[in-house]
Each structure stands twice: as C-alpha cells, then as structure tokens.
Amino acid sequence: MADFVRIVEVAPRDGLQNEARHVATADKIALVDRLSATGLRSIEATSFVSPRWVPQLADAAEVMAGIVRRPGVSYPVLVPNEQGYARARAAGAEEVAVFTAASEAFARKNINASIDTSIDRFAPVLARAARDGVRVRGYVSTVLGCPYQGEVPLTEVVRVARRLHAMGCYEISLGDTIGVGTPRKARAMLRAVAAEVPMAALAVHFHDTYGQALANVAACVEAGVRVADSAVAGTGGCPYARGASGNAASEDLVYMLHGMGIDTGIDLEALAETGRWLAARLGRPTGSKAGQALAHA
Ligand code: HMG
Ligand code: MG
C-alpha cells in the first residue's frame, strides 16, 4: 500500500478565526462543502469558543447546521471547556478538539488560564465525550517558541502532549503557532514527543511566518509523522499570538507530498480551485504558491 499522509484541513477554523473582515456564514458553509468534495477526510469546521474572544466564529452553530456531512469525512470543532462542548454537541458535532499550550504565558493570553488549569477543564469534556462516543483531538501550541516568553522548554512540550494523550485524546497536534521553527528543530521536537507518545497519535501544525512551514512538515514526515494540519490558500493565524501568520497552504502540502510519492487521497486541482475561490471571497490573492501556479498551468 502506498505511503499515506492524512491532512487535517483547518481553513474554516484557523484560517478564518483571525480574519478582520466579516465572512458570511453562507461562505463558511460553502467552504466546508467545497473542501469535503476534494477528498479531504478531516475538516476542522469551526470553533465553539467565547464569541467575545473570537467574534469571527460566533456563527459556529449555524455553520454546523448548514454543512453537508459527507460519509467518511470528520468535522472536528474547537472547544475550550464544558460550555463549548455542550454547544458543539447541541450543534451536532461528533468530534471535538481541546487546546492548550506548552508556554504558560501564551496559555494565559489565549485561554485566560494556566496550562494545568486548562487541562483540568478538559477532564469533564473528555469524560462526557467518552460517554457520547465523541473523539477528542488535543492541540499543544507554541511548541517551537512563544510570542510572549520566547523559548519554550522541550520538556514542557513533551509533558503537555503526554498528559493530553494519557487523558484520552486520540491524536495530539503539535503547533508552531507563530511559525518560528526550522526543520531540524521541528524534527527534534517531534522525536522528543514521539519518545513518550506513539508517533501514530501525533500530528504537526505549522504556521508559515518565516516561510518554513513546508520544510518543517517535510522534515517531520521524513521522521515518521503521518498527519499534518494545513489551511487552503495559506490562511490562518491566532488572534492571541502576536505576529502569527498563515498555516502551511494545503495545496502546497498536497503538491509536495504527491511529489514525494505519498498519497493524500486529495484532488489537487479541486483543492487549488477551492483555495482561489476562498482567496477571492477574502478579497486577496491566494497565499498558496501551488494554487497560483495551477491557475496558469
Ligand atoms: P474567560 O473570559 O476566562 O471565561 O475565557 P469564563 O469562563 O470566565 O466566562 C466568561 C464569559 O464567556 C461568560 O459569559 C461565559 O458564559 C462565556 P458572560 O457570563 O460574561 O456573558 N463563555 C463561553 N461562551 C461561549 N462558548 C464558550 C464559552 N466559555 C465561556 N465555550 C475562554 C476563557 C477559554 C472561554 C476564552 O479565553 C476563549 O474562548 N478563548 C479562545 C481563544 C481562541 O479561540 N484562540 C484561537 C484558537 S487556538 C489556536 O489558534 C492555536 C491552534 O491553531 C494551534 C496552533 O497554531 O498552535 C489550535
Ligand atoms: Mg494554528
């Protein structure tokens, strides 16, 4: 069987959460439905966080009500606490993602809690999810640097990832929130975590602030990871991470993986078309190099 990497498409959530201009609910729904037609199997659809903290995604329930759920596709949503979990379930979510950080300073800015308090808040979410048969993904942010405290100890990345896995998260996504990592550091970080959490339960999530996202994914795929998060058109950024820019562009990632002989199950042309459609809705050129190139191919 061909080597396979599963891409977790995060444009509807990470891609839009930091967008300054209003994005219509109908466009968010159309984005998710276009993405699910490309062969993607995991699409992070929205976020049930406080609408005061992330106003752009205040229409999370409407988005969940509007999308067409394709068989074989999962639509995880972000939840920070039990309240978010209850809202997500009421909206029909069957998979959720909890999120914390390896940096204490970032956790306080992003979720107004210490790392350990945030994890304590996840315990009832995981308990309810287990009863409901809902899968829970876990994010660790700032794994290669923090906008507020700078260096982040690798021991903290490993500790937090191990705790999330031990408490029942089926997959841990390791996030370079501000895109400061470089390939060797990224690989060393992945290997350190993989010494404590099975590689099969790990994913990588790179932002492209310094143009390193794709190189970092490549280094981590060479080191054995088989799940990568990315956002079509290279959208993305966290409102509480100063200077963070877009995610690795899904089109570029798919082009790279296919070129490496790794299957993704994704139709690159359809994905690139969706990226250009999204960029047009956002009123700017696509942030994906492959998306641009394919427009002229
Ligand atoms: P808080 O203010 O400390 O919360 O925020 P609280 O529990 O004290 O509640 C305050 C108010 O918020 C109350 O309302 C609650 O009902 C309400 P009031 O009584 O004042 O009217 N509230 C909620 N409302 C709706 N849904 C909820 C919810 N929870 C409380 N779930 C909180 C704490 C965690 C809620 C807040 O800090 C928050 O929502 N933060 C989210 C920040 C965020 O979404 N950041 C971006 C996502 S993370 C990211 O992008 C990184 C990632 O991509 C990986 C990477 O790149 O590294 C994942
Ligand atoms: Mg992110």
Side-chain angles (χ1 to χ4, degrees), residues 10 13-15 17 44 139 141 175-178 205-207 229 236-238 244-247:
V10 296
R13 193 278 303 171
D14 199 324
Q17 70 185 6
E44 201 169 68
Y139 277 104
S141 283
D176 180 11
T177 318
I178 53 169
H205 178 114
F206 288 108
H207 285 264
D229 303 353
C238 174
S245 73
N247 288 82

Side-chain angles (χ1 to χ4, degrees), residues 111-204:
I111 46 179
N112 201 23
S114 69
I115 297 170
D116 286 336
T117 301
S118 70
I119 295 176
D120 290 345
R121 284 181 192 159
F122 302 155
V125 171
L126 275 133
R128 287 174 68 171
R131 282 199 297 276
D132 296 345
V134 165
R135 300 207 312 160
V136 184
R137 198 171 194 245
Y139 277 104
V140 185
S141 283
T142 59
V143 297
L144 292 168
C146 168
Y148 308 105
Q149 76 177 46
E151 288 291 315
V152 174
L154 203 46
T155 49
E156 272 299 277
V157 179
V158 174
R159 181 183 78 88
V160 175
R162 199 178 43 207
R163 267 197 80 184
L164 292 180
H165 186 249
M167 73 195 295
C169 293
Y170 77 94
E171 186 168 282
I172 312 300
S173 176
L174 302 165
D176 180 11
T177 318
I178 53 169
V180 289
T182 44
R184 285 187 182 172
K185 276 192 190 160
R187 192 168 47 210
M189 180 278 301
L190 174 71
R191 285 192 173 136
V193 178
E196 303 279 339
V197 178
M199 187 69 92
L202 297 178
V204 290

Side-chain angles (χ1 to χ4, degrees), residues 12-14 16-17 28 46-47 49 54-60 87:
R13 193 278 303 171
D14 199 324
L16 297 184
Q17 70 185 6
K28 295 173 181 170
T46 184
S47 183
V49 296
V54 182
Q56 181 64 262
L57 302 184
D59 57 358
R87 288 177 57 217

Side-chain angles (χ1 to χ4, degrees), residues 22 107 209 222 254 274:
H22 174 74
T209 318
E222 300 277 22
V254 169
T274 298

